[in-house]
Each structure stands twice: as C-alpha cells, then as structure tokens.
C-alpha cells in the first residue's frame, strides 16, 4: 500500500485579519481553522502529518498537540519555501504527499480521499485540486494546453489578459510523489512579482522533465474558500454552519430555522429533538433524543439526556438527566447536575450542585455547593449562602424536605430527610429529620408610626387640601 503523508501550511501571519489572534487559530463553528483541516486529513489514515508553523507557532502547537509533527518556517518566503521546510522529516520517503493550507477549513475528508485516488490512478507526479469559479479573481489559474493537459499554474498577480479570463482555479491543495516534490523544490526560483518561491512553479519543472501533471476538478467550489479577512471568515462560518445543520436534520433533528441556529462541529444531537431559532450549541455538547431546546438558549460543553426541556436558558459544563426541565431565563454553571424529572424554573442559578429526582426549584433562587435529595420543594427567593469571604462551604438537604420561600441556608449545614424550613428563615444550624426550623425575628407593629413619618405628614396635608 502506498504511504500517505500530508503537509499543512500554517506559517503565514494573516495581517488582513487585523487581529492579535494568529490567523489559522480563528474559530469556525467552535474549532480553529487549522484544526478543521487536520481533522479531515486524519480521516484518510495518514502515515505522517507535518504542520509548517511560523507566526504564532507555539499557540498552534498547543492547539494541535501531538496529532502532527512540526517544522518552522522562520521567514515567510512563499509556499514553495514553506513546503521545503518539511524536507528533513519527509524528504527521503516513498509515497504520496498531500499539501493543504491551514486557512481553508471547509475541505472534507472525502475530497482529500478522491484526490489521492485520482492522483494514483493517473500515475501522476503531481495532481492539483481545481474548481470552477464564476469570479476567479484572487485565485491562481489552471492553464491547460489544447489536449487539456495542465501546463502551468499562474498566480493572480502574474496573469496576462487571457490567463486572467480562465475560470478554472487552483484551490491550493495538491498531491505529489513525495521524493519528486522535494527534488523539484530545489529548482524553483523567486523570479516573480512577489519575489517568493511559489510551490506552483514545480508544475512547469515537471512538464519540462516530461512527467505527468494532472488536475482533479472538485464539484463544490465552496470547499475551496480560503480565509484571509473577517469577511471571508464569516462566509466560511456560514457555509460550515449550514453543512452542520443539514447533517443534523438528515439525522432526524428538527431545526425550526436553520439559518438562525448555531451548532458547533463537535456537538451531538439525538433524533426527534426540536431546536428553536437563536439557539447556540457549543463545544462538546451532547443532546439526547426527544428534547426541546427553546429559542435563544445557549448550551456549552454540557450533557442533555433524553426528553429534557430547556427554555431560554444558559448552560455551561452541566448535566440534565432525562425528563428534567429548566427555564426560562435560568443559568446552570459548571458542575450543575440536574436529576431525573427535576424542575428548575425561571431566574434560577445552580453551581456545583446536585438536584435530586423530582425536586423542584421554582424561581428566583441560587443553589451553590449543595446536594439536594429527591422530592424536595425549594421556595421562591431561597439562597444557599456558600461563601464566607474566604472559603466555599457545602450544604446537604435530605429527601422529601421543604424549604420555604425567602430562606437563607448558611453553609455548612445539614438538613435531614423530611425536614421543614419555615419561609423567611435564616438557617445556620443542622435540622433533624421530621423537624421544622423557624429562624426569624418576631413581627412587631409600631402603633401610629405612619402619622409621625415625615413623608406621611406631607401626604396627609396634601390629602386634606383635596
């Protein structure tokens, strides 16, 4: 079996992005562009992948980790010079080498596979991946002879009038015979308008040596979209978003308004789940079957089990077990664990807390650093006071307990099963099973106080004048 290698070009600075963030690290649907490229290449069972880094090299390496080897292009002297930096890692090996750019996040594993197969079937020393562009400005042109054989690739700035009219463009992806590639790279020059060493110049060298140069035209031009500025980034994101959304819909997910639904590439969603407009599903979120995700909810790195309802709420690094529900306008912070059939109502915040089966936290409540058992009712306006200004403390509430409205639970405290907290209490001590705790001052009525209140006196005078 022929060995397969890949070189990802990711050394350019990307000045047109006007950003402190290195260009290939700008995200498209939740994943840096260069990681999209690497992920699709990996699906082709590669023997070795090398990423050429330059500006922002350390951050690229931190992002991609050990999934690829690296080589440094200290000076950006063109694509040919960039590929040559990988010679010490790949130069002496037999096999096929794929070249791709780290700022082209839309290429698919299928397209790369088809390019490998076409290259192999043609017995070519080099195969360029091409596409037809209605507006080819900015792309290198594929120049063929009268027999349709590729003679050369001409960069936009070096085209004459006839060459500029050609609509078949170079996508920037190639497949080469590995040894022949590095042999030819030593022969190219930088005699062009940019003063750079173009990778495309090896095509003419191969032609002069009588070797086969092929071109494989892909069907979907949108895959070839490169990202050089924020406008292109938004266009690439829109294409990726629709690709992701269509795949989920084909798999049985209902998206009410796909144009306004934002799902990252690593999100998983079960069948018969309904997602309303404005929803954002981010990171490695997993959503089960038969769920309902209401409009404008945002869910990050969370697990949503089957038959869960999320209404206009924000979840981050949380889990909701089957048949539970939340919202509207509630917030699950990291390590929030919502039990089976539990109810989290409106304007509730839960952080680092487990809410047991069938427990109800209706509204206007904060639950932090706590474990709540099953079948508990937590009244409106309850606060689990977990922070003493230095340390966080934990509270446990037993099964079948009742927490009255407006209560403050001062951690650390243990509330046993079947305990009752009277509304308006501030709880600082443990409560035994079947006991009720009342911790509030007695009501005192001040007779005639209204008559002596300065504002009240003015109101009384005004009332007399009417």
């Amino acid at each position: 079996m022929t060995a397969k290698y890949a070189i990802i070009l990711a050394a350019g600075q990307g000045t047109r992005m006007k950003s402190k963030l290195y260009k290939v690290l700008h995200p498209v649907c939740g994943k840096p562009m260069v990681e999209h490229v690497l992920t699709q290449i990996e699906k082709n069972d590669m023997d070795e992948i090398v990423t050429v880094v330059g500006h922002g090299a350390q951050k690229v390496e931190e992002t991609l980790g050990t999934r690829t080897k690296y080589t440094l292009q200290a000076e950006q002297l063109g694509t040919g010079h960039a590929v040559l930096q990988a010679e010490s890692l790949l130069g002496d090996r037999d096999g096929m080498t794929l070249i791709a750019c780290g700022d082209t996040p839309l290429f698919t594993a299928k397209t790369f596979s088809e390019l490998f197969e076409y290259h192999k079937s043609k017995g070519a020393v080099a195969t360029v991946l091409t596409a037809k562009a209605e507006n080819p400005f900015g792309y290198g042109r594929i120049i063929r002879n009268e027999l349709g054989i590729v003679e050369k690739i001409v960069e936009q700035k070096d085209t004459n009038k006839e060459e500029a009219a050609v609509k078949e463009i170079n996508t920037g992806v190639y497949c080469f015979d590995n040894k022949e590639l590095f042999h030819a790279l030593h022969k190219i020059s930088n005699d062009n308008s940019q003063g750079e060493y173009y990778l495309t110049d090896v095509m003419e060298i191969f032609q002069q040596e009588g070797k086969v140069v092929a071109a494989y035209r892909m069907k979907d031009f949108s895959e070839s979209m490169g990202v050089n500025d924020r406008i292109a980034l938004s266009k690439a994101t829109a294409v990726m978003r629709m690709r992701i959304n269509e795949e989920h819909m084909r798999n049985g997910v209902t998206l009410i308004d796909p144009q306004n639904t934002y799902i990252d590439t690593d999100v998983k969603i079960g069948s018969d789940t309904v997602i309303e407009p404005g929803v954002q599903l981010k990171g490695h979120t997993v959503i089960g079957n038969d769920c309902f995700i209401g409009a404008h909810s945002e869910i990050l790195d969370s697990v949503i089990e089957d038959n869960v309802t999320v209404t206009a709420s924000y979840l981050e690094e949380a889990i909701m077990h089957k048949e539970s529900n939340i919202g509207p306008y509630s917030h699950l912070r990291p390590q929030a664990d919502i039990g089976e059939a539990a109810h989290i109502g409106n304007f509730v915040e839960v952080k680092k807390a487990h809410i047991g089966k069938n427990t109800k936290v209706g509204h206007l409540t904060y639950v932090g650093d706590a474990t709540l058992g099953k079948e508990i009712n937590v009244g409106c306006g309850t606060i689990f006071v977990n922070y003493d200004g230095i340390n966080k403390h934990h509270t446990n509430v037993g099964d079948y307990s009742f927490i009255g409205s407006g209560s403050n639970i001062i951690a650390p405290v243990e509330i046993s099963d079947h305990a009752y907290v009277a509304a308006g209490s501030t709880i600082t001590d443990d409560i035994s099973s079947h006991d009720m705790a009342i911790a509030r001052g007695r009501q005192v009525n001040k007779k005639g106080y209204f008559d002596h209140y300065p504002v009240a006196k003015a109101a009384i005078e005004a009332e007399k004048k009417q």
Side-chain angles (χ1 to χ4, degrees):
M1 182 179 292
T2 306
K4 291 185 290 188
Y5 314 109
I7 299 173
I8 301 174
L9 305 182
Q13 187 171 7
T15 55
R16 280 180 281 176
M17 296 296 288
K18 292 182 170 58
S19 174
K20 297 183 289 297
L21 182 64
Y22 182 48
K23 180 173 73 168
V24 298
L25 295 180
H26 278 265
V28 172
C29 295
K31 183 181 289 186
M33 289 192 285
V34 69
E35 188 175 356
H36 279 291
V37 177
L38 176 59
T39 298
Q40 297 305 312
I41 289 174
E42 286 174 324
K43 293 179 181 179
N44 281 277
D45 298 321
M46 308 302 294
D47 291 277
E48 192 82 273
I49 301 173
V50 177
T51 299
V52 182
V53 294
H55 296 285
Q58 182 178 348
K59 290 185 177 179
V60 173
E61 293 181 26
E62 289 173 358
T63 298
L64 302 182
T66 59
R67 296 163 61 187
T68 171
K69 291 186 176 179
Y70 302 93
T71 186
L72 179 67
Q73 186 187 22
E75 293 183 89
Q76 278 65 61
L77 301 178
T79 51
H81 177 260
V83 174
L84 194 58
Q85 306 313 300
E87 185 174 33
S88 62
L89 296 171
L90 298 177
D92 61 348
R93 302 192 190 186
D94 293 316
M96 302 181 291
T97 296
L98 175 76
I99 308 290
C101 297
D103 60 359
T104 53
L106 298 175
F107 282 112
T108 64
K110 183 174 183 291
T111 295
F112 291 145
S113 176
E114 290 172 350
L115 178 61
F116 273 126
E117 290 303 316
Y118 187 87
H119 173 80
K120 192 173 181 179
S121 69
K122 294 297 181 181
V125 68
T127 303
V128 57
L129 182 65
T130 75
K132 183 179 179 181
E134 292 304 316
N135 179 14
F137 183 81
Y139 290 92
R141 306 303 200 280
I142 304 299
I143 308 302
R144 299 176 183 264
N145 63 21
E146 62 278 3
L147 299 176
I149 297 172
V150 176
E151 287 189 329
K152 59 182 177 178
I153 302 172
V154 183
E155 299 298 325
Q156 170 71 44
K157 293 182 179 180
D158 298 316
T159 58
N160 58 36
K161 186 175 181 180
E162 290 182 354
E163 292 166 341
V166 173
K167 291 190 174 182
E168 186 178 12
I169 59 95
N170 173 21
T171 67
V173 174
Y174 314 88
C175 191
F176 292 98
D177 176 282
N178 187 65
K179 285 186 175 178
E180 292 285 359
L181 167 63
F182 288 104
H183 173 75
L185 283 172
H186 287 285
K187 299 181 179 181
I188 63 176
S189 74
N190 63 347
D191 184 18
N192 52 62
S193 62
Q194 294 291 96
E196 294 184 349
Y197 295 92
Y198 292 149
L199 175 60
T200 51
D201 285 351
V202 301
M203 304 302 179
E204 282 192 80
I205 292 172
F206 290 143
Q207 289 282 5
Q208 293 166 4
E209 294 176 350
K211 295 170 182 175
V212 178
V213 176
Y216 175 66
R217 184 185 292 182
M218 57 190 275
K219 296 178 181 179
D220 185 0
F221 169 73
S222 69
E223 280 193 38
S224 67
M225 187 184 302
V227 174
N228 291 311
D229 57 25
R230 306 289 182 139
I231 297 170
L233 181 66
S234 70
K235 291 178 179 178
T237 299
V239 172
M240 180 72 78
R241 183 169 69 247
M242 287 310 300
R243 182 188 294 176
I244 292 169
N245 289 357
E246 288 172 6
E247 181 178 0
H248 285 300
M249 289 188 285
R250 282 191 290 268
N251 289 333
V253 178
T254 295
L255 303 184
I256 302 300
D257 184 0
Q259 296 285 351
N260 292 291
T261 302
Y262 307 88
I263 304 175
D264 282 356
T265 186
D266 289 329
V267 171
K268 295 178 173 57
I269 309 173
S271 64
D272 289 318
T273 284
V274 177
I275 299 176
E276 290 192 326
V279 168
Q280 299 181 60
L281 305 178
K282 298 180 176 182
H284 292 83
T285 290
V286 177
I287 296 177
N289 301 319
D290 302 292
C291 294
F292 177 85
I293 311 299
H296 307 295
S297 294
E298 185 174 345
I299 304 175
L300 168 66
D301 290 328
S302 296
V303 175
I304 309 298
E305 294 186 350
D306 298 345
N307 293 289
V308 168
T309 296
V310 177
T311 305
S313 293
Y314 179 70
L315 287 65
E316 52 178 328
E317 299 176 29
I319 181 169
M320 293 188 69
H321 295 279
K322 64 181 182 179
E323 300 179 357
S324 59
N325 64 84
I326 185 173
Y329 315 122
S330 287
H331 184 185
L332 298 186
R333 292 170 58 191
Q335 299 182 55
D337 185 338
I338 310 305
E340 182 180 339
H343 167 66
I344 306 296
N346 53 303
F347 299 104
V348 174
E349 180 179 344
V350 181
K351 186 272 295 183
K352 198 177 181 181
H354 171 74
I355 309 297
K357 182 178 180 179
N358 287 323
T359 286
K360 297 175 176 59
V361 184
H363 34 227
L364 299 165
T365 290
Y366 171 70
V367 184
D369 293 275
T371 300
L372 278 63
K374 63 185 179 181
E375 303 283 355
I376 297 168
N377 186 86
V378 178
C380 175
T382 295
I383 299 173
F384 283 73
V385 185
N386 58 332
Y387 184 50
D388 63 9
I390 299 174
N391 298 307
K392 297 289 181 70
H393 300 280
H394 196 85
T395 293
N396 293 311
V397 181
D399 301 340
Y400 302 100
S401 295
F402 182 94
I403 310 296
S405 297
S407 295
N408 297 308
I409 312 299
I410 311 297
V413 69
E414 298 282 333
I415 300 175
S416 300
D417 295 350
H418 301 279
Y420 195 105
V421 174
S425 294
T426 295
I427 301 301
T428 57
D429 297 323
D430 295 347
I431 306 173
S432 299
S433 181
H434 294 267
D435 287 357
M436 179 176 74
I438 304 174
R440 60 192 184 209
R442 289 187 176 275
Q443 180 174 326
V444 177
N445 295 342
K446 298 293 185 181
K447 187 175 180 63
Y449 179 80
F450 181 87
D451 299 336
H452 301 283
Y453 190 56
V455 176
K457 288 182 178 180
I460 291 170
E461 292 300 322
E463 186 178 358
K464 288 178 180 179
K465 292 179 182 179
Q466 291 180 354

